[in-house]
Amino acid sequence: MLSPNDKKLEKLDPFYRPSVSKQKTSAEIISEARNALRTVRTQRPLTPREDQRKLFGSASSRTPENRPPSSFSVHASSFESSDSKPISGARLSPLELKPKAPASPATEEDPCPSFPKPPVDPAKIRRISSARARLFRAASQGALLPDRTLPPTQPKKRVESKETVMMGDSMVKINGIYLPESNALGHLKSHPLQLTYDGDFSEIKEQEMFKGATPLPSHLRSGGDQGKRRSRASSCPSSSDQSRLDTKAGSKADLQEKDTEIEVNEVFWNTRIIPILHELEKKENIEMLCAACTQLHHTLEEGSMLGNRFKRRTILLKTLYKLVDVGSDLLSLKLAKIILALKVSGKNLLNVCKLIFKISRSEKNDSLIQNDSILESLLEVLRSEGLQANTEAFLYCMGAIKFISGNPGFLNEMIGKGAVEILLNLIKQINEITEKSGTCLPNSGHLLVQMTATLRNLVDSPLARSKLLSISALPQLCTVMGQYTGDKDVCTNIARIFSKLTSYHDCCVALANYSRCYALFLNLINKYQKKQDLVVRIVFILGNLTAKNNQAREQFCREKGSFPTLLSLFHTFYELDLHSRKHVEEGDERPPARRPPAQAEDVLIKLTRVLANLAIHPRVGPAIAAHPRIVGLLLATLEYKSIDDCEELVINTTATINNLSYYQVKNSVIQDKKLYIAELLIKLLVSNNMDGILEAVRVFGNLSQDHDICNFIVQKNVHKFMIALLDAKHQDICFSACGVLLNLTVDKDKRVILKEEGGIKKLVDCLRDFGPTDWQLACLVCKTLWNFSENITSASSCFGVETTDTLLALLSSFLVGGKESKGH
């Protein structure tokens, strides 16, 4: 409850004065209506695109001697003929089992018939292919004939169908080809034939695969003596081994199944693969070679011969390696896709990755890469191969992926194929290895440069950003930064990732909640203080983190050395910018208007933004306002820098001073230098830049709470400028100018200035134009008019008849509108 005297004071005193128990300043009134403390925006630092695709760009900190080459040649001789694992070197102990001589001699051509085999389990028949099922059904009716080659004297027959081969009454169909149970398979292994069917099953004739073709190279031919070896293996066992054979019937069934699979592969190799290899050996033209490679890949996939377990894999690889020297990018991509599908390792994996890297360096090959889906093969390398054993191969594999990711047309495909998850898994592996061993993996820094550059491209996609958040990628990237602090390229790429991510609210919140990032960023600023490209991005990230998060502001300021680090950085780039300005003036070169900010200016722009954001915190703001060196550098920047030189820097600096001037504390350097600041602001007021004018008026709104500043405003005719701004038809400018006029009307001697330049009429016009849609501005105008009309006896004599009628009509409409909205 107010005392009678307090109520009297409330009626007589200016409108700005609240209850006596808690008197508010004019600045607090303004703050109630519209927040006087504001964050500052700035553009994200952009990275210029490299003219050429290289492992490390022109801005890399690595010297040519300390980085892997981006240019090299890859030839057929670069590949190793054998891709098997190295011999362990361990000696094996001899087997104790001694082979037994057969009870009766048997020749290879006339082996004794094998013992009858038990019927095959129907469950096994269901598990094998239809070809094997027919083979087993035939076997269940009686003993199979020995598996051997045909005698040389046996007449050769021909069947014109590619579907069926028939001898007698017993037939087997394998991979779409019917063969005799006993010897058709052995015959095909020894003699690669093309089988055709003319409707007559009584004849089998041999036909060459390609008329007029040169004989196949020896390394492509199937060994003719393999059938003989199998013939010996299937000869009659001695009677002493009969019991052992009976007890191992199940094992024999499994062996028989494996033998059948081998037979199937033999037929498939001879009938489907060898003709394609023969075409590849011709090397007639690029188009035919590419078509043959495509056919080979599909055929190998159809026959389940991809991977590293196919026994003739070495023959395939030798043929493919020879074609590398042809020198066609399209052919090389098709070769590389097959080679990778055959799961090469070691030096061959490195060379095939180099081959793809070399091709991907040219942007014109992007369409070839996309058409051949080589991206999936590259990602499979990263997914399935061992990191520590293939670091160099991963480097060139990632280099190719990095180039591809620079093309926006690949982004959705890469993300859809799991590129984000694969890269983060590798980063996690590197972090774990480093943590366990205490040292970085050799060449891992080179690899991380490619990986982080790829992620930098991927985060342009909203889906990639969502994936990064879902797998908690930001802490992992911070860990890499901490472990590779000495690698500027890695840190710069991750800073580029964060500068993109923190431009989005959800990513910004996620990084702000990772408390270790602040100490990490401060450490990097101290380490690379003069490295503009890295520092400017870290400061930009800090500006994003502190823009809308009061907890982030407090957390950052709690870190040891936070303000000394910012102050040192400010001083370093202030000196660099000042030196650059003097150099330009001595050369009589005037920088063009609206030019992009220089490197030093760009750091200062981002840095003043951080200070402006930190100043919003109720405990941090007064501490900055009381810091002589920080305030001194801000004022020095405002003194030597004109808005035509660098608009964004001047506006950010003025906004920072505005936030600091909000705090009315005893030790405030802003309050001590208020008259000097007012002088600097006049230079900004008379500019043609409306954003600069608005920031200057806002600072005057805070400073005009002081009596000395009010006198300064009147002496310098600044009040006339404020009244003129009421005609700007810009709500924010009218609001800020009205705040200055409100503070001036606190002093009774200065109320009369509102009548100059038609101030009263312009205030009423603002109320009419903006009042219905901007209640905050309407309240501020009403408070100013209330102060002006204190102790009046006649409204008409105070405002004028016409203005009074307009004002009464406006106030009445506002009251009616307020009651209606309240009723709703």
Side-chain angles (χ1 to χ4, degrees), residues 19 86 89 107-108 136 143 277 471 532 598 623 625 707 714 738 743 753 800 809:
S19 63
T107 62
E108 294 179 359
F136 281 122
L277 296 184
I471 58 180
Q532 186 271 347
H707 182 72
V714 175
C738 189
N743 287 340
I753 63 175

Side-chain angles (χ1 to χ4, degrees), residues 363-613:
E363 290 187 35
K364 67 181 182 181
N365 288 331
D366 284 357
S367 58
L368 303 180
I369 293 172
Q370 193 165 31
N371 293 337
D372 258 321
S373 302
I374 198 68
L375 174 61
E376 187 171 355
S377 301
L378 293 173
L379 292 175
E380 180 60 27
V381 171
L382 301 180
R383 184 189 290 112
S384 60
E385 299 295 336
L387 170 62
Q388 290 181 272
N390 300 286
T391 307
E392 191 177 2
F394 275 35
L395 172 65
Y396 288 101
C397 178
M398 271 308 315
I401 294 174
K402 177 186 72 174
F403 296 152
I404 296 171
S405 68
N407 186 332
F410 283 93
L411 284 185
N412 290 336
E413 181 185 359
M414 293 186 70
I415 296 169
K417 293 183 183 300
V420 175
E421 294 87 346
I422 291 172
L423 294 181
L424 261 296
N425 182 53
L426 290 176
I427 289 175
K428 186 177 181 181
Q429 288 183 45
I430 293 174
N431 287 339
E432 291 174 351
I433 292 171
T434 305
E435 289 175 358
K436 289 180 181 179
S437 63
T439 58
C440 298
L441 191 67
N443 297 322
S444 57
H446 300 327
L447 177 59
L448 281 169
V449 172
Q450 314 308 313
M451 295 166 62
T452 52
T454 304
L455 279 176
R456 181 193 67 202
N457 294 332
L458 292 179
V459 295
D460 288 332
S461 167
L463 182 57
R465 295 193 293 268
S466 176
K467 287 180 178 291
L468 287 173
L469 289 178
S470 66
I471 58 180
S472 302
L474 304 190
Q476 290 291 341
L477 291 172
C478 286
T479 301
V480 172
M481 255 187 160
Q483 292 176 346
Y484 290 81
T485 304
D487 195 323
K488 177 181 171 293
D489 293 343
V490 173
C491 294
T492 301
N493 277 348
I494 297 178
R496 288 170 177 166
I497 295 172
F498 286 156
S499 66
K500 286 186 175 184
L501 290 177
T502 53
S503 299
Y504 301 90
H505 178 70
D506 50 353
C507 297
C508 190
V509 171
L511 185 59
N513 290 336
Y514 184 68
S515 59
R516 296 182 181 180
C517 73
Y518 304 103
L520 173 63
F521 294 149
L522 288 171
N523 183 32
L524 289 170
I525 291 175
N526 287 322
K527 184 175 182 63
Y528 296 104
Q529 190 170 101
K530 293 186 178 181
K531 303 296 183 181
Q532 186 271 347
D533 58 336
L534 175 56
V535 167
V536 71
R537 287 170 174 82
I538 294 177
V539 178
F540 175 75
I541 296 165
L542 290 173
N544 290 341
L545 296 179
T546 57
K548 297 181 180 180
N549 194 323
N550 217 35
Q551 182 180 353
R553 297 170 189 140
E554 185 172 358
Q555 182 70 36
F556 175 78
C557 294
R558 283 182 177 179
E559 293 294 338
K560 183 178 180 180
S562 56
F563 279 112
T565 297
L566 294 183
L567 181 60
S568 176
L569 187 65
F570 199 151
H571 185 268
T572 297
F573 281 91
Y574 169 80
E575 292 291 337
L576 288 173
D577 188 52
L578 193 61
H579 176 74
S580 175
R581 178 183 174 86
K582 289 179 179 179
H583 180 72
V584 171
E585 290 177 350
E586 290 173 359
D588 288 331
E589 296 179 8
R590 289 290 179 183
R594 302 286 184 253
R595 62 176 174 79
Q599 292 184 346
E601 287 176 340
D602 206 16
V603 175
L604 294 175
I605 289 169
K606 272 59 176 178
L607 185 55
T608 51
R609 175 183 179 233
V610 173
L611 293 173
N613 293 346

Side-chain angles (χ1 to χ4, degrees), residues 149-164:
T149 60
L150 291 173
T153 58
Q154 183 173 343
K156 299 175 183 178
K157 310 257 180 167
R158 177 186 175 192
V159 180
E160 292 295 331
S161 172
K162 294 182 180 179
E163 298 292 335
T164 308

